[in-house]
Amino acid sequence: MSPFLLTRTLPEDATDAALRSDVLQGLTHTPKTLPPKWFYDAHGSELFEQITELPEYYPTRAEREILVARSGEIAEATRARTLVELGSGSSEKTRHLIDALTDLRTYVPVDVSESALTQAGHALIAERPGLRVHALIADFTAQLTLPDTPGPRLLAFLGGTIGNLLPVERAAFFASVRGLLAPGDALLLGTDLVKDEKVLVRAYDDAAGVTAEFNKNVLTVVNRELGADFDSAAFDHVALWDAENEWIEMRLRSRTAQTVKLPALDLAVEFAPDEELRTEVSAKFRKEGVRTELSAAGLDLAHWWTDGEGRFALSLSVAR
């Protein structure tokens, strides 16, 4: 049996259909929105890698610091034989965890990118003889079915990506995660924490303008895939802290009155001067709020670790 197995649960045309649906719904909504997942074509992924290395953008470094320091404790607490990672990408940050999980037999990376899964999977097998990789091409926000692998299972959702989901979406997500776990299995969750507004805004509006380019890349994706005529220069990048909801919003603000045509959708969209298109919500969390949301889904918070500056947290919760 090959140590690498790839299973596709997404139809071949699922990405195109999802993009069409999201753009049509988002641009005809008031206020206008687009989901952040459409930032990430090849160029967008490269830009995000650059963002993670910027001095203003702390989450990646902070989470890595916790993983390096606490992977041994996570391994001891879970004794996981299967590690499932949602939104695995290059699987780079989970290597510390994989090395620490001495009982690990199977790694199940889940991502929409076949190339990322294949490259990362073969690299891990080459580095770690005896490890089986069963990669899933899947959208983890949709209903997910995991392969039959040995327990106990540890499901990892890292990077603070949980913050991109609105509260009602988070509740549905945590419920679906609980449905994948047996009692005693665990969820390792990365959450960015509430902190000084200036620190947060700088992380999403860096001096070099990389995040602004990343934000506008969603327009490039829509232009290319749907034949739209967005002019990225006609929009300004905006990052704002919403204190009431405790989240950062990224937006694109129209500089002028303009009409954008999307032939593939038979749609023309009017923008007023200074009208804003929301492209991302990134919620920030507090420990008790995380505990409450997890508990509502049948997950009990067992461990809470932060980096040295208390900027970011990894939590380990157990399915009851």
Side-chain angles (χ1 to χ4, degrees), residues 37-53:
K37 65 182 178 182
W38 302 117
F39 292 139
Y40 296 95
D41 63 351
H43 182 56
S45 297
E46 291 172 3
L47 288 171
F48 185 71
E49 287 302 314
Q50 293 178 37
I51 288 170
T52 65
E53 298 172 3

Side-chain angles (χ1 to χ4, degrees), residues 195-218:
K195 59 185 67 66
D196 180 79
E197 176 181 347
K198 292 179 181 177
V199 174
L200 286 165
V201 171
R202 280 198 299 267
Y204 293 82
D205 193 11
D206 61 277
V210 182
T211 310
E213 185 181 353
F214 176 68
N215 194 8
K216 292 183 180 186
N217 192 60
V218 72

Side-chain angles (χ1 to χ4, degrees), residues 37-106:
K37 65 182 178 182
W38 302 117
F39 292 139
Y40 296 95
D41 63 351
H43 182 56
S45 297
E46 291 172 3
L47 288 171
F48 185 71
E49 287 302 314
Q50 293 178 37
I51 288 170
T52 65
E53 298 172 3
L54 294 169
E56 298 97 331
Y57 193 80
Y58 60 85
T60 303
R61 291 188 297 275
E63 184 177 56
R64 185 183 299 116
E65 177 188 321
I66 305 168
L67 280 170
V68 169
R70 304 294 185 176
S71 285
E73 294 175 51
I74 295 166
E76 186 174 349
T78 62
R79 301 290 182 188
R81 299 179 69 205
T82 294
L83 172 63
V84 180
E85 185 181 7
L86 304 183
S88 56
S90 67
S91 302
E92 193 62 42
K93 55 194 165 192
T94 40
R95 279 170 160 77
H96 301 292
L97 197 53
I98 290 170
D99 287 342
L101 290 166
T102 55
D103 296 322
L104 188 66
R105 297 294 175 267
T106 306

Side-chain angles (χ1 to χ4, degrees), residues 5 26 44 77 97 111 113 151 153 195 209 216 232 235 259 292 295 300:
L5 182 64
L97 197 53
D111 205 279
S113 171
R153 281 174 167 172
K195 59 185 67 66
K216 292 183 180 186
S232 62
F235 290 84
T259 302
T292 298
S295 180
D300 293 327

Side-chain angles (χ1 to χ4, degrees), residues 206-282:
D206 61 277
V210 182
T211 310
E213 185 181 353
F214 176 68
N215 194 8
K216 292 183 180 186
N217 192 60
V218 72
L219 305 182
T220 303
V221 171
V222 174
N223 283 352
R224 182 181 65 242
E225 301 299 329
L226 299 179
D229 61 355
F230 276 105
D231 177 6
S232 62
F235 290 84
D236 290 323
H237 167 68
V238 177
L240 298 172
W241 171 243
D242 182 329
E244 180 180 354
N245 290 303
E246 293 192 324
W247 65 44
I248 284 280
E249 285 196 13
M250 289 210 312
R251 305 174 185 174
L252 291 169
R253 180 181 293 155
S254 178
R255 291 184 171 184
T256 62
Q258 55 181 309
T259 302
V260 176
K261 296 181 178 64
L262 297 94
L265 301 179
D266 192 24
L267 182 67
V269 180
E270 303 289 338
F271 283 87
D274 296 324
E275 183 178 356
E276 293 177 339
L277 165 65
R278 189 177 75 189
T279 54
E280 182 176 80
V281 163
S282 185

